[in-house]
Amino acid sequence: MVDSGNTYGERVSRLVGWGHWFAFFNIIAAMLIGTRYIVHSPWPETLLGQFYLAVSWIGHFSFLVFALYLLILFPLTFLIPSRKLFRLVAVCFATVGLTLLLIDTQAYQTINLHLNRVVWEVLFSDGNSAISTDLQHLFIVMPLIFLLELGLSEWVWRKQRKLSHKRVGRPIAALLFVCFITSHLVYVWSDAYFYNPVTSQKSNFPLSYPMTAKSFMEKHGLLDRADYLKRKSENEGKLHLVDYPLEPLQFDRRANHLNVLVISVDNLRADALTKENMPNAYKYAQNNLDFTNHYSSSNDMYGMFGLFYGLPSSYASSIKAQGTAPVMLSAMKEQGYHFGLFSGDNFEDDLFADTIFHGLKLNKIDFNEKSSTDSQTINKWSQWVKTAKAPWFSFIELTTVGNYSNYSGDKKLSYQNLLKGYDQSVHVADNELEQLINQINTLDLNKDTVVVITSNHGIELNDTKTNSWGASSNYSRYQLQVPMIIHWPGMLPAKFTHRSSHLDFSVTILQEILGVSSNPYYYSSGRSLFNESKRKWVLSGDSRELALVTPDRTAVIDRFGNYKLYDKNYKRLDDNPPLPVLMQGLTELQRFYTKNN
């Protein structure tokens, strides 16, 4: 066909008009492909949820396609006034875009994640895997998509004037714009009023970032903060964000209702448990079960979350909002356990009151200055346990080591003072453990009580030579590796050298004490502590990052898909991370999120 536009302006005007209609029909194509997200996402049960799904489906893909047209193809209209060359560029661009969208739908179906750099490399790293093969088959349709786009390009060019004369362009554009705006307004309201059938759809579509405006609404009198906080409190426990456990627990094994005492010596590194530094705890480890290659599930306080829930820290915010108790504690409560919960800082961290022990009584203590708060905590526990009805579960948090900077004697901040303070605090904590162990022996609890000594996480004193101090700064073994000593009535002393994790603890208690026969897959990311089979990785991390620790490497991935690889001494490597391992880790972070609204 001959282009009747002879001047530059006429040619550009014709291409701009063609580009709008070409973008519109590609919006239709993207929406059709986007139905795969709807098929593999939970169907909203409410009318408003279904309405939001419809308008967000229309609005999101229309905005996505048209925004790409405006950002990339529209400027090229003025640089490439040749209709044939410009249309060929547009066809190639649309072909690549729709193919990537198809691949993203497959990734979403397979691992419930949208494409980013890590997901791309994970999916295509192993050409022999079933997932990679399925995805590579999508590239076969690229020539077909190219031919269809080529045909669409020519058809729109021929029918452009007829389409313009129908005067449907503006009403269609208005409809798409209204759907886009409506979807965001509905989400703004739903986010402010905790309407889960809408907010649970936040990540259904790729590059979806629904608008929130709580501060704006409050500023303009559209949202009362007191009412919002009240609704937030009322909705805790009503949200269904995480399926935990995935299936109801089965209790087909023989239960052995031993008492359970968990002692957390906060900030205690695994290598601090030596005959010189902690002679009492060291002796206790030698006479009981000692897991010498044990890792916390986080480098911060959320190691306790992993210990009780058996889940990675990334689930913590959803678990808190949902108000779900650890299945271990729930099972204990159902089987008649009594609870005694004590802390050397009266559970200063909200993690305990708001999440782990939510709904349980925390034994608060009126501390005095006559002795350490940990010693007073142990004495209060001793008073409680004398009258506690068996079976019981008790938790004691010792905080001495967490305040190691107070034990150096010299307040000047230096490496030597910090090291001296840490060693001294460890020695004090060891004496407190001796006090507690003596109480256990005096009360004759050894024969019917499982006693666990561990820590929330370790700390670093610049051991990696990266200017890292304390905790929550990296995922080296100094911050992750912690003691795990267990006194188990009837078991002979043993040393276990296989890699174990905080995520394994609740599985062990549920299986060996509470009689759970369900596969741990359905209620934990861990396995039994006594399972000595080789594991590919140990999972750690926080709300922002995932750390996969293998025997010789540690891969750290952030929420944006950026990753870093370190050797066993936590020195940065330029190699690619073990992608099959990353695949398993990414899948683990999605496994417990709810599949229905």
Side-chain angles (χ1 to χ4, degrees):
M1 181 178 180
V2 179
D3 188 355
S4 59
N6 295 319
T7 67
Y8 171 83
E10 290 174 336
R11 289 196 301 271
V12 168
S13 177
R14 181 79 187 274
L15 287 175
V16 168
W18 173 88
H20 282 76
W21 284 108
F22 185 72
F24 167 71
F25 286 109
N26 273 282
I27 288 173
I28 302 299
M31 288 173 57
L32 292 175
I33 295 174
T35 57
R36 299 188 76 192
Y37 298 109
I38 298 175
V39 170
H40 294 289
S41 298
W43 181 255
E45 295 180 353
T46 65
L47 186 61
L48 181 58
Q50 295 164 8
F51 173 75
Y52 173 78
L53 177 61
V55 294
S56 63
W57 171 59
I58 297 171
H60 180 70
F61 285 105
S62 59
F63 172 79
L64 194 62
V65 174
F66 197 70
L68 290 173
Y69 164 74
L70 287 179
L71 291 173
I72 298 174
L73 293 182
F74 182 71
L76 292 178
T77 308
F78 301 93
L79 301 177
I80 313 175
S82 169
R83 69 176 181 86
K84 291 184 178 180
L85 181 57
F86 175 77
R87 285 168 52 194
L88 178 62
V89 170
V91 165
C92 292
F93 179 76
T95 301
V96 172
L98 293 181
T99 303
L100 288 175
L101 186 61
L102 271 173
I103 295 173
D104 188 80
T105 61
Q106 192 70 13
Y108 183 78
Q109 175 185 347
T110 305
I111 59 175
N112 202 33
L113 290 172
H114 293 293
L115 282 180
N116 57 37
R117 185 167 65 105
V118 173
V119 172
W120 181 274
E121 294 192 22
V122 165
L123 295 177
F124 292 102
S125 62
D126 185 0
N128 297 321
S129 70
I131 296 176
S132 181
T133 301
D134 290 341
L135 286 166
Q136 289 172 6
H137 285 161
L138 294 178
F139 286 109
I140 298 175
V141 304
M142 276 194 75
L144 177 61
I145 295 175
F146 178 78
L147 292 175
L148 291 174
E149 289 287 346
L150 204 60
L152 175 65
S153 168
E154 184 62 28
W155 183 83
V156 170
W157 185 262
R158 292 178 180 274
K159 301 293 183 179
Q160 181 181 346
R161 287 189 174 88
K162 185 178 291 188
L163 289 170
S164 299
H165 290 158
K166 291 181 180 296
R167 301 185 182 280
V168 295
R170 290 185 178 180
I172 290 174
L175 174 64
L176 299 181
F177 179 74
V178 167
C179 286
F180 175 74
I181 294 299
T182 301
S183 67
H184 282 273
L185 292 178
V186 170
Y187 193 90
V188 165
W189 177 87
S190 301
D191 178 65
Y193 288 86
F194 299 95
Y195 192 69
N196 190 49
V198 169
T199 57
S200 63
Q201 301 180 48
K202 178 180 180 180
S203 301
N204 282 7
F205 301 132
L207 301 176
S208 176
Y209 305 101
M211 182 171 62
T212 60
K214 291 188 287 290
S215 299
F216 176 84
M217 294 172 69
E218 182 181 349
K219 182 179 180 180
H220 290 82
L222 301 175
L223 180 67
D224 184 85
R225 182 168 180 81
D227 288 343
Y228 169 78
L229 294 175
K230 181 180 178 181
R231 285 193 301 271
K232 182 179 180 181
S233 176
E234 291 173 348
N235 277 273
E236 286 185 357
K238 295 182 181 179
L239 299 178
H240 189 50
L241 307 173
V242 177
D243 280 328
Y244 170 75
L246 294 172
E247 293 182 359
L249 297 184
Q250 301 295 321
F251 296 85
D252 297 329
R253 299 177 59 163
R254 180 178 176 273
N256 184 15
H257 289 151
L258 297 169
N259 304 318
V260 179
L261 170 61
V262 176
I263 307 160
S264 173
V265 185
D266 289 356
N267 292 261
L268 184 61
R269 291 164 48 138
D271 58 9
L273 187 64
T274 64
K275 190 175 182 179
E276 294 73 27
N277 291 336
M278 303 185 73
N280 298 300
Y282 179 82
K283 180 181 178 181
Y284 194 75
Q286 297 299 303
N287 294 327
N288 291 285
L289 309 179
D290 186 12
F291 295 82
T292 61
N293 199 9
H294 186 84
Y295 290 80
S296 174
S297 56
S298 183
N299 62 354
D300 58 20
M301 198 62 196
Y302 281 82
M304 286 291 99
F305 176 86
L307 186 78
F308 282 92
Y309 281 92
L311 298 179
S313 302
S314 59
Y315 289 102
S317 59
S318 296
I319 287 286
K320 178 183 176 181
Q322 190 168 307
T324 304
V327 293
M328 180 184 76
L329 298 185
S330 296
M332 284 182 166
K333 192 173 183 180
E334 291 175 3
Q335 296 186 21
Y337 273 74
H338 297 84
F339 295 89
L341 310 172
F342 302 84
S343 169
D345 62 7
N346 275 332
F347 296 105
E348 186 177 273
D349 196 297
D350 293 337
L351 172 66
F352 292 106
D354 294 347
T355 307
I356 298 175
F357 299 137
H358 182 65
L360 296 176
K361 179 185 177 182
L362 303 180
N363 295 84
K364 298 296 182 71
I365 303 170
D366 293 326
F367 294 120
N368 56 57
E369 298 181 356
K370 295 180 180 180
S371 60
S372 73
T373 58
D374 284 352
S375 292
Q376 295 178 63
T377 300
I378 293 170
N379 289 331
K380 288 293 183 181
W381 173 83
S382 300
Q383 296 173 18
W384 171 85
V385 79
K386 289 175 183 177
T387 59
K389 295 181 179 179
W392 50 259
F393 170 87
S394 188
F395 175 78
I396 303 176
E397 181 186 28
L398 302 181
T399 59
T400 295
V401 181
N403 300 314
Y404 63 92
S405 60
N406 297 331
Y407 288 85
S408 64
D410 187 345
K411 298 302 180 183
K412 183 179 179 181
L413 186 62
S414 68
Y415 171 75
Q416 292 299 329
N417 286 339
L418 288 175
L419 185 61
K420 179 181 177 182
Y422 187 78
D423 289 343
Q424 182 61 29
S425 69
V426 165
H427 184 69
V428 173
D430 185 62
N431 291 332
E432 292 168 346
L433 283 174
E434 181 188 26
Q435 176 188 352
L436 181 53
I437 293 168
N438 288 338
Q439 290 282 1
I440 293 170
N441 293 332
T442 301
L443 296 172
D444 196 24
L445 297 176
N446 284 315
K447 61 184 179 182
D448 57 6
T449 303
V450 172
V451 180
V452 180
I453 301 175
T454 188
S455 181
N456 52 359
H457 56 78
I459 69 163
E460 184 180 351
L461 301 171
N462 200 28
D463 301 86
T464 59
K465 307 304 179 186
T466 57
N467 200 31
S468 292
W469 304 86
S472 193
S473 56
N474 64 44
Y475 298 98
S476 65
R477 57 188 173 91
Y478 307 103
Q479 297 191 36
L480 292 183
Q481 204 165 350
V482 295
M484 174 59 76
I485 308 165
I486 302 179
H487 166 77
W488 202 294
M491 290 192 182
L492 296 175
K495 179 177 289 188
F496 297 92
T497 59
H498 66 282
R499 285 187 302 151
S500 57
S501 166
H502 269 12
L503 302 176
D504 304 336
F505 173 71
S506 60
V507 174
T508 309
I509 298 299
L510 285 163
Q511 288 183 342
E512 304 298 332
I513 293 181
L514 302 176
V516 171
S517 58
S518 303
N519 189 325
Y521 175 86
Y522 296 110
Y523 58 87
S524 175
S525 295
R527 64 190 193 187
S528 173
L529 284 166
F530 301 117
N531 183 348
E532 298 184 58
S533 60
K534 185 178 180 181
R535 66 202 311 169
K536 293 181 179 179
W537 44 265
V538 171
L539 184 63
S540 187
D542 56 22
S543 60
R544 299 168 288 108
E545 294 176 319
L546 164 70
L548 292 160
V549 184
T550 64
D552 58 346
R553 294 183 178 185
T554 297
V556 179
I557 318 166
D558 66 20
R559 58 185 176 180
F560 303 108
N562 303 309
Y563 57 77
K564 297 177 182 178
L565 191 65
Y566 302 88
D567 65 14
K568 61 182 180 181
N569 296 315
Y570 217 73
K571 302 300 180 185
R572 183 74 181 273
L573 297 173
D574 293 328
D575 298 344
N576 291 324
L579 294 175
V581 171
L582 294 187
M583 175 70 172
Q584 296 173 1
L586 291 171
T587 302
E588 195 62 38
L589 295 186
Q590 299 292 325
R591 201 160 57 82
F592 287 92
Y593 282 112
T594 183
K595 299 298 186 296
N596 50 46
N597 290 324

